[in-house]
Amino acid sequence: MAAPTNLQNGEVKPGSRLERSPASPSMYNMEQNQLNGMGRLRPRTSAGMNGAYDELYRSQLNGNVEAASRDPSPVPNRPRSTITPNLNRARSDLGPRQDNEDTEGEPESRDGAAWKMRHGWEDEHTSSEYLSLLTSTFYMYFTDKRHDTCGIPRSSSPSWPNQDWRMKDRLKTVSAALAICLNIGVDPPDVVKTNPCAKLESWIDPTTSTGGPSSKALEQIGKRLQEQYETLSLRTRYKQYLDPSVEDTKKFCVSMRRNAKDERVLFHYNGHGVPLPTQSGELWVFNKNYTQYIPVSLYDLQSWLAGPSLFVYDVSHAGNIVHNFPTFAEKHEKEQMEIKRKDPNAPIQNYGDCIQLAACGRTESLPTNPDLPADLFTCCLTTPIDIALRFFVLQNPLKQSIKIDDNKIPVPGRLQDRRSPLGELNWIFTAITDTIAWNVLPRNLFKKLFRQDLMVAALFRNFLLSERIMRANKCSPISSPALPETHHHPLWQSWDLAVEMVLSQLPFLLEQEEGKRSYDYQHSTFFAEQLTAFEVYLSSGPKEDEAPDQLPIVLQVLLSQAHRLRALILLSKFLDLGPWAVHLALSIGIFPYVVKLLQSAAAELKPVMVFIWARIMAVDYTVQNDLLKDNGIHYFIAILNPYSDIRVPNATEHRAMCAFIVATFCKNYPQGQNVCCSGELFEYCLSNLDNENPLLRTWTCLCFSMLWLDYPEAKWMGIRTGACVRLCDLAFDPVPEVRAAMLHALTNFLGIPDLTDQVAQIEESIAAAILFMANDGAVLVRKELLVLFSFFVLRYENKFTVVAYEQLVEEKESLLALVFNASVEKTGDGKAPGSRGSTISQSVSRNSIFASMWKQILILSVDPHPEVAQNASSIVDWAHEALINSPMASLAKGVIEDVLQLSQQLPTAKSKNKGPLESIPQPSPANAPQSPQKSQGYNSLSLRGLKNLMFGSTASETPGSNGNVADKTQFSPSRPPNTPRARAPPEWTRPPESDEPSKPLGPYHQAPVPVSPGFRSLDTMEAGRSSLPLKSTLLDWSTEYFREPQMRPHEPEEPGSSDYNQRLWRRSRNDRIISSNQPLKGSAGQSRWDKVDKVLPNATSGGQPTKMCFHQFESHLAMVDDRDTVCVWDYNSPRLLSRFSAANPGTSRLTTLRFINEDDSALLLLGSSDGVLKVFRNYDQHPTVATPSLTAPKQDHGVEMVTSFRALTDVVQSTKSAGVVVEWMQGQGRALVAGDVRVIRVWNVATECCTVDIPARSSSPVTSLTSDAVAGDIFVAGFGDGAIRVFDQRLRPNLAMVRLWREHKQWITGVHMQRGGVRELISGSREGSVRLWDLRWDKSVQTIQGLRQPHVPLGQPGEKAKGGGEKDETMRALAVHEHAPVFCVGGSRNGVRSWNMDGTFLGSFEPGRGILGGLGAGKRAIKGVAYHPHAMLMGVAVGGIGDVTILGAEGVERAVGR
């Protein structure tokens, strides 16, 4: 064989596909560009994966590698992602070969030419276009969010729920007292001033002040200080108190508190002209004559000002005040509690909310540097830019000639003008101080100090600067609450750079002001650089515990029109990280900005604003009031217009976000519904229902739902505009989420208060239009349908009470007939058991929508999905409870008692000779999935509880009566079908198993039963308190989409993540298994297949294994027994990995077992004879005892049900039961389902809908299905009468059958088309003949008598089949290897025989020999055989023995592994 070719990876294409390089089908990358499972296919593997390997190899041999290896075309606006590892591909030994290759052992055709592929597919399957398509696009199924959660919202993350970002306790500093105790010209006794020393007070030198006496200078200082405070807050009322006396101090403090009421007051104290605060924290003021310094105790000051208050102490030893403040506050609190105890009605004061800022510590003195102001602390708090400029100049070692004006450095501009140099500096300073505080403070403290009060926020921002400047001058400002040190924060370097850039341009700016030159100011790059830093943060894969440093700066950038768009885009990327990011942004104060931006008409801002608002409302929809103000909601309603101008490629997704915003705005908000109830919005929404984007269709439906919920005006507008009719059309939508949203909207449409005939007619027509959706394959849809049914039942309670009663009467009469027939069969006397007499009366509800709906509810009460069944049962229980509380109670009680008695009589009337067969039970009503057995009845699920409710518990009701009583009821054999085949012997058209003696089946549900994610079973008490209507979780579940990241790959698609690395490993493992097994196919076709490799003892833990399936790549062998138990083994160990029950009802059996999505994390598909398909994940783990949280890792869940649905709803009762036959087509995402029905049903698992019913064209059951799984158009069906029919899905259903073969005369045991090799189509029938077919021929290519024993000594394979086998032996099983030219048949007596495709006998394995027992053990029937898809292994299950034997080919290396 030629050396393997080293192939490169292809690029990732969108569409949520599991991508592979064209040359290596197992190389892939998971790219999820989906709308949260809404409409786009998730990754899927190729069902033609087995065949793709052979096809690809042929293309290599024919020189088509280059064409097959072309990269897929790049898709615009999508990131390119490649996988770097290069993997080697092994080549298949079958198919066309080059001339120089060894062809020994190759089979030849009749004309001697090299064997070509069957069916004329060699040209198509070796073309470069076909191979490129085949090997570059693969999908995964049942991996959408709806399958992960079943429509149940995930529990909230503990990091972000219930976080209140709003400032409900927002305060205002309404009054300020500026107490300035300077006593200019007189130094305090305990203060020694240096010479020179600091003199400036509020930037005024009192010693050189013009205007005369010191009182004038004091007035100027007071006035200047007030002006400085006014730059911080203009709304605060300021009052100057210059050198106040103790009486004045008390007076203005008490007056200020009285006027402020519960708002905050500011007390600024400048004590530069009085003694230092005492050790107990006393302040000093003057007496009236200014002859003495009078102390004011903190206790008195607190009594006068109380709280909330803000204190600023600009005095040496100010730390004494802060230190003693809590002691006196606690004393006040105790006094208040005592007063409250004596008189509960007494008014009390608040002393707790007091904030303090002090210039220095307890033993520190203020700086006396003559180059700095004397009130340095006050200057830092009130004029931060001026003092920062001076500080920078003083700290700069380089000599600078900077002009000083009024003791300040004159920078042009105004503080409020961000385009001017001074305004830009102030803007940068605000951003930097906010950011420093955000980074170092706890969130609650930051919120209190920097967001609760504008004055407090401004002072604390400036306090950070004071800490930096005063620490450089040997002072340590302190605060209460205390702040961590911030003077070394790296952002101060950015501040120095900004100051330096301004000062470097200052001479030119001053000259420009003087008119000496023209100069354009060069703005700072600070904000652009910080946005770049924020962008780097976002690209680094941030996590919840890594808050960005630049978030407050982004907030400030929103004020700049130049940087606004970029800031909004980065902000939207940050919000996309999840709810924790949204809460961070809201807590930093982003909300007022995005509210204000709704007034902007800029078209470029619309997409990003829509995205940001969608994220905000997904986390907190209580912002409805804010949207109502200034008509902000109309911003989004206008974008909903399909013709609106929104400049973004994915405009439909942004309109879907707008629909979500409008829907959330109307949620539980009547004012919002009133504002949105307009013909304009209805017109926009109706137009969007036709959009191709499923997310938009979904949220348009939910928008309607929230708009008219409990709002009759909107419902009538929906009638006038035809919205309800248009919504009904979406019942056929291909996306399950859209169908569910449509049902949600129609549910909320019901209930117009005035129930007129017109309203009733409309509601009944709606119910009739969606009634068929009870057969929908999506669990999400069926759950929503039940919610609608519950509303309908509640609204028309009286009608459904009558329907329920008539259904009980019908149930009773059906049971009477069954008991009578069983009694006749047993005794022959024809005497029916006694019961209350009843006659069939004319039903008043027959053919009504209410009767039809009630029957659908009853059917859904036995739905295969536990949550659907539980919800439907709740409706049934509620209706029955309403029935027994109605005027019809007396009639209903009698009927209910009769039904219960008749149900208990059925087991005694059952014939003893009519037990189910050992492996295939005789057909019963359980085989008819259209409805449960009438003997059990839909109502019996709740009737026993009703009997207890009405009559009390009875002793006659035994604990063993668990609903399986009726399941054991047998029906008399039906007449053979009226066809030419009916003239054949009856046993020819019966399953081979029917020849065996019957024996009773064991009990069902012996293993744990997996449930769906998030399912919670109602206990007896909860079930008894069932109430209607049912509650829908669809809206909350759908809202989660806007809380999940959409701008970046999910964790499994992130390179370097754990899931990503696991997928890379699986890719390499898969290729290794394929390449190691491909060379073994030739030798396997020439070797004996009787070598025992492994034995799995008691494989199904007590049951009889009947069906088996090997995983392609994992060492997993799944098997089912003759009842409902599923076991998964690791056959390498060997050890049992998991055992669980499929929970199919009694007398039904599991007939289908398949692995799907095998390239990645595989799922297990099970089909049972009652027409139900179920899919399980984590199948190799034991079920968990308790249902885990939806937020827990999937691997912690244990085995759980992904989905389940009734694939066949009209199984025909027949003595020739084939069960349910399923052909899984992974490449196309289809499941072909057939059985005892007259059609072959095609299910599209991506849409979870039945796409077409293809007539089977036969009255016999379909016994086997196979398909061309590579291309997916052709499939072949074998029938119970021996016919084989070929169908082409590309044709119309009534013309789909393209070929009919009738060479077999008996029951078709199996038909199979290889997915690799030469694509042989092989069939085997009951009598033992095996035929090979070519789709182009009218007759078989070759016939082999598979059950005949060739007369060949052991160890000498190679003889052609001849001789005779045992008479009356039947073929029980047929298996075909997917790649090797090998097949085997299992007989009812002589074990397993293996054959080559050319008829060469390859040995036999008899269960009575060797490891399975001695020679006297007897001959046993083969229950099932299965080949490994790649490895040369075969599993064999033998009747009467619970073991499963793994066989291998003699002399062939065992090449399989994990």
Side-chain angles (χ1 to χ4, degrees), residues 436-702:
I436 292 175
W438 165 262
N439 293 335
V440 301
L441 297 185
R443 295 288 178 259
N444 290 336
L445 186 57
F446 175 84
K447 182 178 177 180
K448 177 181 179 180
L449 300 183
F450 288 82
R451 292 295 180 265
Q452 190 182 58
D453 187 331
L454 294 178
M455 174 66 83
V456 174
L459 288 176
F460 267 91
R461 277 196 297 266
N462 301 343
F463 178 78
L464 300 182
L465 176 67
S466 72
E467 186 185 21
R468 185 188 189 211
I469 294 177
M470 299 197 71
R471 280 183 179 273
N473 290 274
K474 311 305 179 182
C475 270
S476 301
I478 57 177
S479 66
S480 177
L483 303 185
E485 294 184 359
T486 60
H487 61 285
H488 289 314
H489 196 280
L491 271 179
W492 286 121
Q493 299 177 13
S494 299
W495 168 247
D496 291 339
L497 177 61
V499 171
E500 185 175 18
M501 289 183 64
V502 172
L503 292 179
S504 65
Q505 302 179 72
L506 186 57
F508 309 107
L509 294 172
L510 294 177
E511 292 179 2
Q512 182 191 27
E513 279 197 334
E514 296 172 358
K516 297 180 180 179
R517 64 181 302 169
S518 175
Y519 181 77
D520 292 331
Y521 172 65
Q522 301 298 316
H523 292 276
S524 173
T525 59
F526 171 78
F527 289 107
E529 292 168 353
Q530 293 301 317
L531 288 179
T532 302
F534 188 51
E535 193 170 4
V536 171
Y537 163 83
L538 293 173
S539 64
S540 63
K543 296 183 179 179
E544 189 168 348
D545 55 352
E546 300 174 358
D549 296 341
Q550 301 82 14
L551 193 58
I553 297 177
V554 175
L555 179 68
Q556 291 294 324
V557 174
L558 294 180
L559 300 173
S560 169
Q561 191 170 359
H563 301 288
R564 181 175 296 157
L565 180 58
R566 184 187 178 193
L568 286 173
I569 292 174
L570 293 178
L571 178 62
S572 65
K573 291 182 179 180
F574 176 70
L575 299 182
D576 188 59
L577 297 177
W580 65 270
V582 177
H583 276 289
L584 278 181
L586 292 175
S587 64
I588 199 66
I590 204 74
F591 187 71
Y593 293 81
V594 295
V595 170
K596 188 175 181 180
L597 286 175
L598 291 179
Q599 308 303 320
S600 173
E604 65 274 8
L605 296 182
K606 289 183 179 180
V608 66
M609 286 297 296
V610 168
F611 188 93
I612 291 173
W613 269 94
R615 265 40 190 188
I616 292 175
M617 298 200 73
V619 172
D620 189 349
Y621 70 90
T622 60
V623 297
Q624 296 158 318
N625 280 329
D626 302 274
L627 277 179
L628 187 61
K629 297 174 183 176
D630 301 325
N631 291 325
I633 190 62
H634 289 284
Y635 185 90
F636 305 103
I637 294 178
I639 299 177
L640 268 176
N641 184 352
Y643 304 103
S644 63
D645 180 22
I646 178 169
R647 302 173 185 177
V648 66
N650 54 344
T652 56
E653 291 191 23
H654 285 76
R655 290 195 177 94
M657 296 178 199
C658 289
F660 160 71
I661 293 170
V662 175
T664 309
F665 175 71
C666 296
K667 179 181 178 182
N668 302 327
Y669 191 54
Q671 298 96 316
Q673 291 175 307
N674 186 40
V675 169
C676 294
C677 185
S678 64
E680 182 183 53
L681 178 59
F682 272 81
E683 180 184 353
Y684 297 161
C685 289
L686 290 174
S687 300
N688 289 327
L689 287 178
D690 298 326
N691 194 277
E692 62 180 8
N693 190 319
L695 184 65
L696 178 54
R697 298 199 303 274
T698 298
W699 277 105
T700 299
C701 293
L702 294 176

Side-chain angles (χ1 to χ4, degrees), residues 226-290:
Q226 179 174 336
E227 291 174 354
Q228 291 174 182
Y229 264 108
E230 287 174 347
T231 61
L232 305 181
S233 175
L234 281 173
R235 296 184 179 181
T236 303
R237 300 186 300 270
Y238 298 96
K239 183 66 174 177
Q240 306 167 29
Y241 297 95
L242 309 179
D243 291 343
S245 65
V246 64
E247 293 81 5
D248 292 339
T249 304
K250 178 180 179 180
K251 182 178 179 181
F252 70 67
C253 286
V254 172
S255 174
M256 186 168 61
R257 167 49 58 200
R258 184 176 57 253
N259 295 332
K261 296 182 181 179
D262 293 331
E263 296 289 351
R264 178 173 279 121
V265 296
L266 168 64
F267 179 77
H268 178 97
Y269 177 72
N270 183 327
H272 295 175
V274 293
L276 301 177
T278 64
Q279 289 295 325
S280 60
E282 293 173 311
L283 305 177
W284 295 92
V285 291
F286 306 95
N287 62 359
K288 288 188 176 181
N289 299 323
Y290 295 98

Side-chain angles (χ1 to χ4, degrees), residues 704-988:
F704 276 128
S705 181
M706 291 296 99
L707 182 58
W708 56 41
L709 174 62
D710 298 328
Y711 190 47
E713 285 297 325
K715 293 179 181 181
W716 281 110
M717 182 167 288
I719 294 174
R720 290 191 295 269
T721 59
C724 52
V725 178
R726 290 286 303 278
L727 286 172
C728 290
D729 295 339
L730 293 179
F732 301 95
D733 195 278
V735 181
E737 287 82 355
V738 177
R739 302 197 297 272
M742 176 272 296
L743 291 173
H744 193 279
L746 292 179
T747 300
N748 288 337
F749 176 81
L750 301 176
I752 296 178
D754 187 10
L755 185 56
T756 62
D757 292 341
Q758 179 190 4
V759 173
Q761 182 180 2
I762 293 173
E763 293 182 346
E764 290 177 20
S765 64
I766 290 175
I770 51 89
L771 199 60
F772 75 97
M773 298 182 73
N775 297 324
D776 199 287
V779 175
L780 189 68
V781 175
R782 300 202 302 276
K783 285 174 57 178
E784 283 304 309
L785 183 66
L786 281 173
V787 176
L788 187 146
F789 284 172
S790 69
F791 272 86
F792 208 80
V793 170
L794 181 63
R795 184 164 172 81
Y796 298 94
E797 177 181 349
N798 293 335
K799 297 181 184 295
F800 278 96
T801 300
V802 175
V803 171
Y805 172 75
E806 292 182 347
Q807 180 65 34
L808 288 174
V809 173
E810 182 181 345
E811 182 90 3
K812 171 186 170 182
E813 294 170 350
S814 299
L815 287 172
L816 276 172
L818 288 172
V819 172
F820 177 78
N821 292 337
S823 178
V824 169
E825 186 176 347
K826 177 180 179 182
T827 63
D829 58 3
K831 184 178 180 180
S835 65
R836 300 175 187 265
S838 64
T839 59
I840 301 178
S841 59
Q842 182 65 32
S843 173
V844 298
S845 64
R846 187 180 301 276
N847 298 327
S848 69
I849 185 61
F850 307 101
S852 300
M853 182 178 292
W854 182 246
K855 290 181 179 179
Q856 292 294 348
I857 295 173
L858 294 175
I859 292 173
L860 289 172
S861 68
V862 289
D863 192 87
H865 193 274
E867 189 176 359
V868 174
Q870 180 172 273
N871 291 346
S873 299
S874 297
I875 301 176
V876 174
D877 292 344
W878 185 92
H880 284 162
E881 187 175 353
L883 174 61
I884 63 176
N885 292 325
S886 69
M888 302 172 61
S890 58
L891 296 175
K893 291 177 182 179
V895 175
I896 290 174
E897 188 174 8
D898 288 345
V899 169
L900 292 173
Q901 291 178 354
L902 291 171
S903 297
Q904 294 174 355
Q905 294 176 19
L906 282 175
T908 60
K910 178 184 166 184
S911 174
K912 296 181 180 179
N913 298 326
K914 296 296 182 179
L917 295 177
E918 175 186 355
S919 60
I920 300 184
Q922 291 296 329
S924 67
N927 290 338
Q930 182 181 8
S931 61
Q933 301 180 29
K934 285 294 181 182
S935 56
Q936 176 186 4
Y938 308 105
N939 303 297
S940 61
L941 296 175
S942 60
L943 287 184
R944 287 182 176 85
L946 284 173
K947 181 181 179 183
N948 293 338
L949 179 64
M950 294 184 297
F951 308 113
S953 179
T954 60
S956 61
E957 193 170 304
T958 61
S961 178
N962 59 358
N964 288 335
V965 173
D967 291 337
K968 300 178 183 178
T969 304
Q970 300 299 315
F971 284 76
S972 59
S974 60
R975 181 183 302 176
N978 186 19
T979 64
R981 292 280 170 144
R983 294 190 291 271
E987 65 271 10
W988 284 16

Side-chain angles (χ1 to χ4, degrees), residues 854-1130:
W854 182 246
K855 290 181 179 179
Q856 292 294 348
I857 295 173
L858 294 175
I859 292 173
L860 289 172
S861 68
V862 289
D863 192 87
H865 193 274
E867 189 176 359
V868 174
Q870 180 172 273
N871 291 346
S873 299
S874 297
I875 301 176
V876 174
D877 292 344
W878 185 92
H880 284 162
E881 187 175 353
L883 174 61
I884 63 176
N885 292 325
S886 69
M888 302 172 61
S890 58
L891 296 175
K893 291 177 182 179
V895 175
I896 290 174
E897 188 174 8
D898 288 345
V899 169
L900 292 173
Q901 291 178 354
L902 291 171
S903 297
Q904 294 174 355
Q905 294 176 19
L906 282 175
T908 60
K910 178 184 166 184
S911 174
K912 296 181 180 179
N913 298 326
K914 296 296 182 179
L917 295 177
E918 175 186 355
S919 60
I920 300 184
Q922 291 296 329
S924 67
N927 290 338
Q930 182 181 8
S931 61
Q933 301 180 29
K934 285 294 181 182
S935 56
Q936 176 186 4
Y938 308 105
N939 303 297
S940 61
L941 296 175
S942 60
L943 287 184
R944 287 182 176 85
L946 284 173
K947 181 181 179 183
N948 293 338
L949 179 64
M950 294 184 297
F951 308 113
S953 179
T954 60
S956 61
E957 193 170 304
T958 61
S961 178
N962 59 358
N964 288 335
V965 173
D967 291 337
K968 300 178 183 178
T969 304
Q970 300 299 315
F971 284 76
S972 59
S974 60
R975 181 183 302 176
N978 186 19
T979 64
R981 292 280 170 144
R983 294 190 291 271
E987 65 271 10
W988 284 16
T989 55
R990 284 205 297 262
E993 298 85 352
S994 61
D995 296 335
E996 298 181 5
S998 61
K999 66 178 182 179
L1001 288 172
Y1004 278 66
H1005 307 166
Q1006 296 300 299
V1009 178
V1011 296
S1012 58
F1015 172 72
R1016 187 179 69 90
S1017 177
L1018 299 179
D1019 57 28
T1020 306
M1021 295 300 297
E1022 289 176 312
R1025 295 192 303 266
S1026 57
S1027 61
L1028 296 188
L1030 299 175
K1031 305 300 181 184
S1032 172
T1033 59
L1034 180 69
L1035 183 67
D1036 295 335
W1037 179 81
S1038 300
T1039 301
E1040 288 181 348
Y1041 171 79
F1042 297 102
R1043 300 182 189 139
E1044 299 167 350
Q1046 305 297 331
M1047 292 187 180
R1048 62 183 178 89
H1050 290 223
E1051 187 69 15
E1053 286 72 56
E1054 281 284 2
S1057 68
S1058 176
D1059 289 345
Y1060 185 88
N1061 291 337
Q1062 289 178 15
R1063 287 177 171 175
L1064 287 181
W1065 176 85
R1066 282 194 291 263
R1067 181 197 67 185
S1068 178
R1069 186 272 316 269
N1070 298 352
D1071 274 358
R1072 184 174 65 253
I1073 291 175
I1074 295 168
S1075 61
S1076 60
N1077 282 285
Q1078 289 286 337
L1080 306 179
K1081 296 188 297 186
S1083 55
Q1086 303 172 10
S1087 304
R1088 294 188 63 84
W1089 281 74
D1090 55 6
K1091 180 181 71 173
V1092 176
D1093 186 88
K1094 288 284 190 307
V1095 175
L1096 310 182
N1098 195 17
T1100 55
S1101 301
Q1104 171 62 60
T1106 57
K1107 301 287 182 182
M1108 295 174 291
C1109 184
F1110 284 91
H1111 193 289
Q1112 288 194 53
F1113 306 113
E1114 303 283 353
S1115 57
H1116 293 168
L1117 174 60
M1119 62 190 72
V1120 298
D1121 66 3
D1122 49 2
R1123 297 185 297 276
D1124 67 328
T1125 304
V1126 184
C1127 291
V1128 180
W1129 283 76
D1130 183 340

